[in-house]
Every structure is written in structure tokens, then in C-alpha cells.
């Protein structure tokens, strides 16, 4: 994932977590289902029109054939899921805990992939693995909640908001450290290339002007002697 996209995603998740915790007393399962349905539909449509429809200067799709196919499938599935959540809200109200748990678990997997693969060639500290572990723990906690118990929705919203904040804050910190590491690596590569170029230029350095002038003078004297007819007689 590009640094800019990672930062935007992290910022959105961080703000969403803060909003969930602030509105923990007024957010019910039914409102969550409606909000999620609208979010899925908007995200799917936006991906269709803005990202999948993007073209380069040659008029070709920016995504490859496989990426375009997967993108259209995922976008269509998101729109259909969002529409179903709006039409069959009562059916999905009992699945809110499962959806939140799955979302946090996906965030944990994303964080793990970012630490193992996405940060290369930069190596982040092993302490960052605390974040996916915390997200996994929150996902398990939310999934094991018993629906219908008073206070369950409030606790679930708080736990989900905390998970979103952890994901957002961790992604921002990791993005900053990855950017700094990549900048340092590029700087070292530029310095190494400059040193190699300087070494090559020194090896190909022309003769000093004094030696060059002496050689030209000797060549001129030899030519004048050869061309002088009195010298030949």
C-alpha cells in the first residue's frame, strides 16, 4: 500500500473509533446496520467510478486485468451487501457483533502483513506486533458477547471504537517510521552512487596541463624540423 493511502485509511479509522466511543450511548445495533449499509454502498460505488475507472496517459486502465476483475467483483459485492443491510435490517441486527469482530480481525491481519511484508526493506521493531495481537483479542471478545444482555451494545461499541483507534494510531506511526526508513535508505543509495561516480571520474581524469603542454610543444618542434628545407640540406 502507498504511504498516502495508508495514512488516509489510518486517519479515517482513527476518527471512526473516536466517534463510536463518543456516541456509545446513542448508537444502537439498528443504527449501526444502517450506517454500515450506506458505507458499503458508498465505498463500492466510489471504487467503481473513481479507482477502477482511472486511466493513465495512454488511456489504459491503471489496474491490471486481474486487479480490475477483482476490484469489480469486490465493489459489486460491497454494493449488494450494503443494499441487503438496508432492506433486511432486522436480519443483520443480530450479526453486528460478528461484523465488528470480523472487521477487527481483518485489521489484525492487515497489520501483520504490513509488519512482515509491507514495511520492506525497512524493519520495524518487534514491539509493533502488540497491535495485531490487541486487535485479535478485541475481535474475540466482541465475537463471544451474548446478544440481548443489557449493556452489550454499549460495550461492543466501545470495544470496536478502541480497536479502530488502535488500528489507526498504529498505522500512522508505522507509516511515519517506514517513510523515514525509506528516506534514509534512498539517501544512502544516492551517496553510494555519488561516491562511485566520483571514483570513476578520478580514474578517467585527463593529464595535467603542464604535461599536456610539454607534449604539444615537443610535437610542434618535431613537425617544424621535418618541414624546414634548410635542415634537410
Amino acid at each position: 500500500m502507498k504511504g498516502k493511502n495508508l495514512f488516509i485509511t489510518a486517519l479515517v479509522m482513527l476518527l471512526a473509533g473516536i466517534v463510536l466511543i463518543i456516541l456509545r450511548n446513542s448508537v444502537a445495533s439498528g443504527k449501526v446496520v444502517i450506517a454500515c449499509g450506506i458505507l458499503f454502498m458508498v465505498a463500492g460505488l466510489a471504487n467503481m467510478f473513481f479507482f477502477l475507472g482511472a486511466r493513465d496517459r495512454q488511456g489504459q486502465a491503471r489496474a491490471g486485468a486481474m486487479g480490475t476483475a477483482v476490484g469489480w467483483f469486490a465493489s459489486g459485492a460491497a454494493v449488494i451487501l450494503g443494499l441487503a443491510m438496508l432492506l433486511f435490517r432486522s436480519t443483520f441486527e443480530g450479526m453486528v457483533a460478528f461484523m465488528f469482530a470480523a472487521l477487527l480481525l481483518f485489521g489484525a491481519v492487515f497489520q501483520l502483513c504490513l509488519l512482515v511484508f509491507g514495511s520492506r526493506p525497512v524493519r520495524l521493531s518487534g514491539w509493533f506486533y502488540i497491535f495485531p495481537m490487541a486487535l485479535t483479542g478485541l475481535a474475540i471478545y466482541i465475537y463471544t458477547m451474548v446478544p440481548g444482555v443489557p449493556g452489550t451494545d454499549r460495550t461492543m461499541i466501545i470495544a470496536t471504537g478502541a480497536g479502530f483507534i488502535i488500528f489507526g494510531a498504529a498505522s500512522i506511526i508505522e507509516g511515519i517510521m517506514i517513510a523515514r526508513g525509506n528516506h534514509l535508505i534512498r539517501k544512502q543509495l544516492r551517496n553510494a552512487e555519488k561516491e562511485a561516480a566520483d571514483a570513476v571520474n578520478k580514474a578517467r581524469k585527463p593529464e595535467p596541463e603542464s604535461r599536456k603542454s610539454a607534449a604539444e610543444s615537443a610535437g610542434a618542434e618535431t613537425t617544424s624540423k621535418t618541414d624546414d628545407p634548410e635542415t634537410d640540406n
Side-chain angles (χ1 to χ4, degrees), residues 128-151:
F128 284 96
Y129 287 93
I130 294 177
F131 297 126
M133 293 173 61
L135 291 174
T136 303
L138 287 173
I140 295 174
Y141 175 70
I142 294 174
Y143 182 75
T144 55
M145 284 184 174
V146 179
V149 178

Side-chain angles (χ1 to χ4, degrees), residues 96-102 104-105 132-147 149-163 166:
V96 171
F98 173 78
M99 289 189 297
F100 278 156
L104 291 181
L105 188 60
M133 293 173 61
L135 291 174
T136 303
L138 287 173
I140 295 174
Y141 175 70
I142 294 174
Y143 182 75
T144 55
M145 284 184 174
V146 179
V149 178
T152 298
D153 287 352
R154 182 174 179 271
T155 305
M156 177 184 63
I157 295 298
I158 294 175
T160 304
I166 291 174

Side-chain angles (χ1 to χ4, degrees), residues 175-204:
I176 293 174
M177 297 194 67
I178 292 172
R180 287 182 178 178
N182 289 330
H183 176 73
L184 181 60
I185 291 174
R186 288 193 297 267
K187 184 177 180 181
Q188 292 174 348
L189 289 176
R190 286 195 298 266
N191 292 336
E193 292 176 355
K194 183 178 179 181
E195 292 177 358
D198 292 341
V200 173
N201 292 333
K202 288 181 180 180
R204 296 178 178 178

Side-chain angles (χ1 to χ4, degrees), residues 29-136:
S29 296
K31 295 180 180 179
V32 171
V33 172
I34 295 175
C36 290
I38 296 175
L39 181 62
F40 276 122
M41 293 185 64
V42 171
L45 293 174
N47 191 58
M48 288 180 181
F49 291 104
F50 293 103
F51 296 102
L52 295 178
R55 303 286 176 175
D56 56 17
R57 295 181 179 179
Q58 287 74 31
Q60 302 295 327
R62 294 184 181 274
M66 181 61 68
T68 302
V70 173
W72 278 106
F73 176 79
S75 300
V79 173
I80 293 174
L81 177 61
L83 185 61
M85 293 176 72
L86 294 178
L87 295 177
F88 308 102
R89 185 182 65 182
S90 58
T91 302
F92 283 91
E93 286 181 1
M95 301 174 59
V96 171
F98 173 78
M99 289 189 297
F100 278 156
L103 189 59
L104 291 181
L105 188 60
F106 175 79
V109 173
F110 177 87
Q111 280 286 315
L112 186 61
C113 293
L114 179 64
L115 293 172
V116 176
F117 305 107
S119 61
R120 293 180 179 178
V122 180
R123 294 186 62 182
L124 298 177
S125 172
W127 289 102
F128 284 96
Y129 287 93
I130 294 177
F131 297 126
M133 293 173 61
L135 291 174
T136 303

